[in-house]
């Protein structure tokens, strides 16, 4: 039998134990007690929908994963994106990928894994760029790179930044060379080497107590986010100049497939095309930090505009990031923080000068006709 729980809502209650009989009528008028009943079984059922024994929701995807894994800090690895190295290793297993411009109008990737220990091979491992450190910090991630630009040296030396460099002489067997590839795109690491490197450095493997997570995801009992009032976005182009990437929505899988350099972008280990549930475009101010080397600097703290793309639709968003270590928050036109669909996310950092190159197409036919 269902039990009933009485909830007392007490308003303007003024009772005096010392009041005389002449005050009883006045006290009764000033007091208001309402009883309402809810079924505790319904409350229990609602709570059960939001918990699973031994599991927690991933901060990176919103999906249920082992609770110990969910409390583990992720790693964020710098990945090259030259055409000769476009068949990258294990990148398809990453939970989140950041893509941002670097010198020469190229882009470089930063892949983030929650379950990194089992990763077989991450290649090609490349050097750090200043602004990528801030993006890694948003996830409380341990940052992995193969060297760095001199502009990033001072920041990487700060005690609050945990990083593993393939050029760090104190890390034995952190980075390896694939003899079948040419430098500089032949450097790689493995999950086993990452675990050893973290241990050598003595970094905490668990999230700090004040870490609040990042994205806001829909729950299992909520319907998929469809952005019904958004613009059609079956094919999406971020507008980068060299690799000219695009994403194509597959209605059957509900995922966006990634293309660049005129072809499918494939994970070299699995031979499978990269696919993602969510795409975020984040438009940022930028400058040339060093005219001699053309190193860029992207403004990561502040605010700007962008787009959220999922299920064949896109909506304009604004973004805000208050501190270097804080998470970027994305908001819809009404000022509400957006909710992402559960699954993997690809984030494209767009230089504000080239925001006009961002393009959405209602169909693959429309996209093909425009090329």
């Amino acid at each position: 039998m269902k039990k009933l729980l009485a909830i007392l809502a007490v308003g303007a209650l003024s009772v005096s134990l010392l009041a005389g009989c002449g005050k009883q009528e006045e006290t009764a008028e000033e007091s208001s007690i309402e009883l309402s009943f809810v079924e505790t079984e319904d409350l229990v059922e609602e709570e059960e929908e939001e918990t699973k024994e031994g599991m927690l929701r991933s901060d990176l995807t919103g999906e249920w994963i082992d609770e110990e894994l969910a409390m583990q800090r992720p790693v964020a690895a710098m990945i090259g994106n030259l055409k000769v190295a476009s068949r990258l290793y294990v990148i398809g297993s990453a939970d989140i990928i950041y893509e941002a411009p670097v010198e020469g109008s190229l882009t470089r990737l930063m892949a983030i894994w929650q379950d990194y220990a089992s990763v077989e091979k991450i290649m090609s491992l490349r050097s750090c760029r200043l602004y990528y450190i801030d993006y890694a910090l948003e996830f409380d991630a341990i940052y992995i790179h193969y060297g760095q630009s001199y502009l990033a040296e001072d920041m990487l030396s700060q005690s609050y930044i945990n990083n593993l460099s393939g050029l760090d002489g104190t890390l034995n067997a952190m980075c390896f060379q694939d003899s079948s590839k040419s430098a500089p795109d032949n450097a790689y690491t493995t999950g086993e080497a990452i675990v050893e490197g973290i241990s050598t450095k003595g970094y905490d493997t668990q999230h700090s107590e004040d870490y609040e997570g990042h994205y806001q995801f829909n729950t299992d009992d909520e319907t998929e986010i469809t952005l019904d009032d958004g613009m059609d976005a079956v094919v999406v182009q971020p507008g980068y100049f060299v690799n000219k990437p695009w994403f194509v929505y597959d209605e059957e899988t509900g995922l966006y497939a990634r293309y660049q350099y005129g072809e499918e972008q494939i994970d070299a280990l699995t031979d499978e095309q990269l696919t993602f549930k969510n795409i975020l475009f984040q438009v940022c101010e930028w400058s040339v930090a060093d005219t001699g080397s053309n190193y860029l600097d992207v403004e990561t703290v502040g605010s700007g505009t962008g787009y959220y793309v999922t299920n064949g639709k896109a909506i304009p968003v604004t973004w805000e990031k208050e501190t270097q270590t804080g998470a970027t928050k994305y908001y819809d036109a009404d000022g509400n923080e957006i909710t992402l669909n559960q699954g993997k996310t690809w984030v494209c950092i767009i230089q504000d000068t080239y925001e006009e190159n961002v393009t959405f197409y209602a169909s693959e036919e429309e996209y093909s006709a425009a090329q």
Side-chain angles (χ1 to χ4, degrees):
M1 179 179 295
K2 297 181 179 179
K3 299 179 181 179
L4 298 181
L5 174 67
I7 301 177
L8 297 179
V10 181
L13 180 60
S14 174
V15 179
S16 174
L17 295 177
L18 300 178
C21 295
K23 295 290 185 178
Q24 289 181 358
E25 183 177 347
E26 179 182 351
T27 302
E29 290 176 354
E30 292 177 351
S31 303
S32 174
I33 301 178
E34 296 179 0
L35 297 179
S36 61
F37 297 90
V38 295
E39 296 177 352
T40 56
E41 183 175 296
D42 293 341
L43 292 178
V44 173
E45 288 177 356
E46 182 177 348
E47 184 178 350
E48 287 176 349
E49 290 176 356
E50 292 300 320
T51 61
K52 290 188 178 182
E53 185 176 357
M55 304 186 77
L56 291 173
R57 290 193 181 279
S58 166
D59 288 327
L60 304 186
T61 67
E63 299 168 328
W64 292 107
I65 59 175
D66 179 82
E67 62 182 348
E68 291 188 7
L69 181 60
M71 297 172 67
Q72 175 179 278
R73 297 175 65 191
V75 299
M78 290 298 296
I79 308 291
N81 200 32
L82 295 174
K83 185 175 183 179
V84 295
S86 60
R87 288 179 64 89
L88 305 169
Y89 281 80
V90 198
I91 196 171
S93 65
D95 298 304
I96 298 171
I97 292 179
Y98 270 73
E99 181 174 21
V102 293
E103 60 278 3
S105 296
L106 296 166
T107 67
R108 190 158 290 184
L109 309 179
M110 183 181 77
I112 305 175
W113 286 268
Q114 186 99 52
D115 187 9
Y116 55 83
S118 60
V119 172
E120 185 172 339
K121 186 177 186 179
I122 300 175
M123 193 175 80
S124 63
L125 199 62
R126 293 300 302 268
S127 60
C128 162
R129 293 297 180 268
L130 192 63
Y131 36 96
Y132 278 100
I133 302 173
D134 286 3
Y135 297 132
L137 287 172
E138 294 193 24
F139 299 89
D140 192 28
I142 296 169
Y143 183 58
I144 301 171
H145 55 104
Y146 187 62
Q148 62 280 326
S149 69
Y150 75 90
L151 296 171
E153 289 178 356
D154 181 63
M155 186 181 295
L156 289 170
S157 69
Q158 303 303 309
S159 60
Y160 65 92
I161 296 175
N162 294 165
N163 68 291
L164 302 174
S165 173
L167 296 181
D168 186 340
T170 68
L171 296 173
N172 295 325
M174 168 64 200
C175 194
F176 312 94
Q177 307 294 323
D178 187 328
S179 60
S180 67
K181 305 290 183 181
S182 299
D185 298 297
N186 61 342
Y188 72 93
T189 189
T190 67
E192 183 178 356
I194 292 170
V195 171
E196 182 178 343
I198 292 173
S199 176
T200 299
K201 289 292 187 180
Y203 294 147
D204 289 334
T205 58
Q206 302 295 303
H207 279 300
S208 58
E209 292 182 359
D210 59 350
Y211 180 67
E212 299 179 350
H214 199 295
Y215 300 130
Q216 180 172 277
F217 291 98
N218 65 333
T219 58
D220 294 345
D221 59 347
E222 293 176 329
T223 57
E224 279 251 322
I225 297 161
T226 56
L227 306 179
D228 293 334
D229 296 330
M231 68 188 83
D232 291 331
V234 173
V235 181
V236 181
Q237 287 181 302
Y240 298 130
F241 291 105
V242 176
N243 58 329
K244 301 183 185 300
W246 73 101
F247 300 84
V248 178
Y249 178 64
D250 185 335
E251 190 172 355
E252 290 187 7
T253 65
L255 304 176
Y256 279 88
R258 163 82 176 192
Y259 297 78
Q260 66 172 5
Y261 294 115
E263 60 185 9
E264 298 177 351
Q265 187 167 9
I266 302 295
D267 185 305
L269 188 67
T270 65
D271 280 332
E272 295 179 353
Q273 188 173 10
L274 306 187
T275 57
F276 292 80
K277 185 63 181 178
N278 307 296
I279 302 171
L280 286 167
F281 287 170
Q282 183 174 333
V283 180
C284 302
E285 297 179 1
W286 66 285
S287 61
V288 177
D290 178 2
T291 54
S293 61
N294 289 325
Y295 284 135
L296 303 186
D297 190 17
V298 174
E299 294 295 333
T300 61
V301 178
S303 61
T305 59
Y307 297 92
Y308 171 43
V309 185
T310 192
N311 284 336
K313 293 282 188 176
I315 59 169
V317 298
T318 56
W319 64 267
E320 293 182 3
K321 178 177 165 71
E322 296 181 354
T323 64
Q324 181 194 20
T325 58
T328 301
K329 299 296 183 181
Y330 303 88
Y331 302 93
D332 63 20
D334 296 323
N336 302 311
E337 183 179 353
I338 65 170
T339 300
L340 305 184
N341 279 312
Q342 294 180 36
K344 298 180 180 181
T345 300
W346 189 295
V347 184
C348 289
I349 303 300
I350 310 293
Q351 296 164 277
D352 60 350
T353 311
Y354 308 116
E355 181 180 3
E356 62 186 26
N357 294 339
V358 174
T359 313
F360 303 96
Y361 297 94
S363 66
E364 291 187 68
E365 291 74 19
E366 181 181 336
Y367 166 75
S368 297
Q371 303 312 301

